[in-house]
Amino acid sequence: MPRFKTILVTGGAGYIGSHCVVDLLNAGHDVIAIDNFANAVCDEEGSPALKRAQQITGKKIVFYEADLLNKPQINDIFDKHPIDCVIHFAALKAVGESMQQPLLYYQNNLLGMLNLLEIMRNHECYQMVFSSSCTVYGEPEYLPITETHPTGSITNVYGRTKYFIEEMLKDLSAADEKWNIISLRYFNPVGAHPSGLIGEDPTKEFTNLMPFMAQVALGKKPVLTVFGNDYNTPDGTGIRDYIHVMDLASGHVAALNYLGSNQVGLKVYNLGTGRGVSVKELVEVFERVTETKIPLKYVDRRLGDITAMWADATLAREELGWSTKLTIEEMCTDFWRWQTMNPDGYPKKSKKTSVIVNGNS
Ligand SMILES: O=c1ccn([C@@H]2O[C@H](COP(=O)(O)OP(=O)(O)O[C@H]3O[C@H](CO)[C@@H](O)[C@H](O)[C@H]3O)[C@@H](O)[C@H]2O)c(=O)[nH]1
């Protein structure tokens, strides 16, 4: 029996949220998932991703369409369910959009978090795993990046919301020792569940490398634009630490287990593989394992992109007992399976106002 039985997953219908829900159910937790469908697909019955998560695990999810900016709605959910811990994914995350609409991002990401923390405190729920990002480090001063690397010099609004939230959590845990929070700084999540049933289906920007590359491989886009081949890297293209979304999901279960037996205040962990892979390398692996051909077009560097970033994931290994298991090949194979089984992503229907996948409202 896990120490925390009932987990509230905000943003549970999204890409990382839905994969994490699968792992939580497999680990024996009860899951209450909420999502406002800002960046997740909904159909007439609710979230197709969560429906499929139920199919994969054979377990039930209680789902609410709910918005963290609607305090009474969130409060009701806490009144109804004995929530032991919250995993907080819900956030807007499109870098370009965040630069155009900073108020939207600050309101949604920061106010949403403030509301959630206040409601948690009122219900004496002090346990949280927060979805942060390696973007908080800005341009690396050294590699691989450890958790003690300076944070804050970030070039986009989305990244700053993650940084500000981490600062808020620091203040909160310093003011009240009951809080027990782990902030997980993700590197670049890619891949999909090996069943091919759930995966990434962006409803907003389609700008990340792996989904874009898969669209090219499917013939839906003519060419992959490579942003810069004049970086100071071995092949001139940018380097990232790509992590399989199922490894990322298992990092959350490990964090939950750790919170269950340790009072940490606030602790921060990198979730990455510790290995840097260039754009060219990733394209080559993708082409090889999927037996496709990706036409490339080299253009100027993308504004705000950094040269290279990869994690030192030692701390998570030593303290959480977590490390990645899945290879770059598996990231590409699994993403491709999802993409070919679902060339148009999840079945999409017009958005309804109140949707329940399962359970009560
Ligand atoms: O069409 C494309 C898309 C990307 N890239 C390159 O591919 C690499 C990865 O890019 P992308 O997949 O867009 O990821 P990042 O720019 O590293 O940003 C991701 O990772 C950050 C750190 O976690 C998060 O903050 C962002 O939200 C998330 O999009 C970079 O070198 C890009 O320049 C291309 O060359 N062509």
Side-chain angles (χ1 to χ4, degrees):
M1 168 75 77
R3 162 88 159 69
F4 298 134
K5 184 69 182 153
T6 305
I7 314 297
L8 175 72
V9 181
T10 76
Y15 171 45
I16 302 173
S18 56
H19 287 80
C20 190
V21 164
V22 167
D23 247 26
L24 289 169
L25 293 171
N26 284 338
H29 296 282
D30 291 340
V31 172
I32 317 284
I34 65 172
D35 208 295
N36 67 356
F37 294 118
N39 193 30
V41 173
C42 72
D43 66 14
E44 274 153 8
E45 291 160 1
S47 156
L50 290 177
K51 221 181 314 167
R52 292 178 180 190
Q54 294 187 138
Q55 188 185 333
I56 291 167
T57 59
K59 305 217 170 125
K60 297 284 179 202
I61 300 161
V62 176
F63 176 76
Y64 297 93
E65 181 179 3
D67 194 318
L68 292 172
L69 298 183
N70 184 339
K71 278 170 89 173
Q73 203 180 30
I74 305 300
N75 203 64
D76 278 355
I77 294 169
F78 275 82
D79 283 346
K80 263 189 200 141
H81 301 279
I83 293 162
D84 296 312
C85 183
V86 175
I87 303 185
H88 179 42
F89 294 106
L92 296 175
K93 61 168 191 177
V95 172
E97 183 185 64
S98 79
M99 302 302 281
Q100 308 294 326
Q101 301 190 65
L103 289 183
L104 176 72
Y105 272 66
Y106 288 131
Q107 183 179 53
N108 190 80
N109 294 4
L110 300 188
L111 194 53
M113 177 55 134
L114 283 171
N115 289 345
L116 178 61
L117 290 169
E118 195 187 332
I119 293 166
M120 286 175 68
R121 187 196 56 200
N122 293 345
H123 289 80
E124 295 184 17
C125 173
Y126 294 100
Q127 318 284 335
M128 175 183 268
V129 178
F130 171 60
S131 158
S132 187
S133 165
C134 67
T135 195
V136 300
Y137 295 120
E139 184 76 42
E141 291 175 13
Y142 59 84
L143 288 165
I145 286 207
T146 57
E147 289 81 354
T148 50
H149 184 285
T151 56
S153 50
I154 305 148
T155 51
N156 66 77
V157 172
Y158 152 74
R160 266 196 289 281
T161 67
K162 293 289 178 191
Y163 168 71
F164 290 153
I165 288 175
E166 283 199 354
E167 294 299 297
M168 273 161 40
L169 295 177
K170 254 188 229 170
D171 292 337
L172 190 63
S173 58
D176 185 346
E177 61 186 18
K178 288 200 277 304
W179 287 99
N180 202 26
I181 302 171
I182 286 180
S183 179
L184 298 174
R185 292 178 180 159
Y186 312 154
F187 282 69
N188 286 55
V190 295
H193 189 271
S195 64
L197 288 173
I198 58 171
E200 185 172 14
D201 186 10
T203 59
K204 286 197 173 173
E205 288 183 336
F206 224 101
T207 55
N208 290 124
L209 181 57
M210 177 85 71
F212 200 93
M213 189 159 62
Q215 293 286 302
V216 177
L218 276 178
K220 292 188 155 201
K221 302 232 188 303
V223 67
L224 173 68
T225 311
V226 177
F227 299 129
N229 61 351
D230 57 351
Y231 281 110
N232 184 20
T233 60
D235 66 22
T237 63
I239 293 179
R240 297 290 184 274
D241 185 340
Y242 298 95
I243 171 171
H244 196 296
V245 66
M246 291 315 297
D247 274 333
L248 197 69
S250 75
H252 292 74
V253 176
L256 270 188
N257 290 339
Y258 195 73
L259 285 179
S261 46
N262 296 275
Q263 182 63 35
V264 302
L266 170 67
K267 283 226 61 165
V268 171
Y269 295 97
N270 285 339
L271 292 188
T273 64
R275 185 177 162 225
V277 172
S278 74
V279 174
K280 261 189 175 168
E281 280 179 278
L282 190 65
V283 171
E284 279 161 20
V285 174
F286 191 92
E287 287 185 324
R288 178 163 50 79
V289 302
T290 64
E291 296 177 353
T292 56
K293 186 81 199 124
I294 314 280
L296 302 181
K297 181 178 168 211
Y298 291 96
V299 298
D300 287 346
R301 297 176 181 195
R302 186 169 63 178
L303 199 66
D305 267 0
I306 55 168
T307 303
M309 172 88 99
W310 66 90
D312 183 329
T314 311
L315 198 63
R317 189 180 66 236
E318 288 180 355
E319 295 189 357
L320 305 180
W322 169 90
S323 58
T324 59
K325 300 202 165 39
L326 300 166
T327 61
I328 287 283
E329 281 77 5
E330 286 165 305
M331 299 178 208
C332 294
T333 309
D334 290 341
F335 195 89
W336 186 236
R337 187 179 301 108
W338 149 254
Q339 197 70 100
T340 47
M341 283 171 63
N342 308 270
D344 299 316
Y346 293 111
K348 294 168 186 74
K349 296 270 161 57
S350 61
K351 190 173 180 300
K352 286 183 75 179
T353 47
S354 176
V355 196
I356 298 155
V357 168
N358 223 301
N360 39 21
S361 61

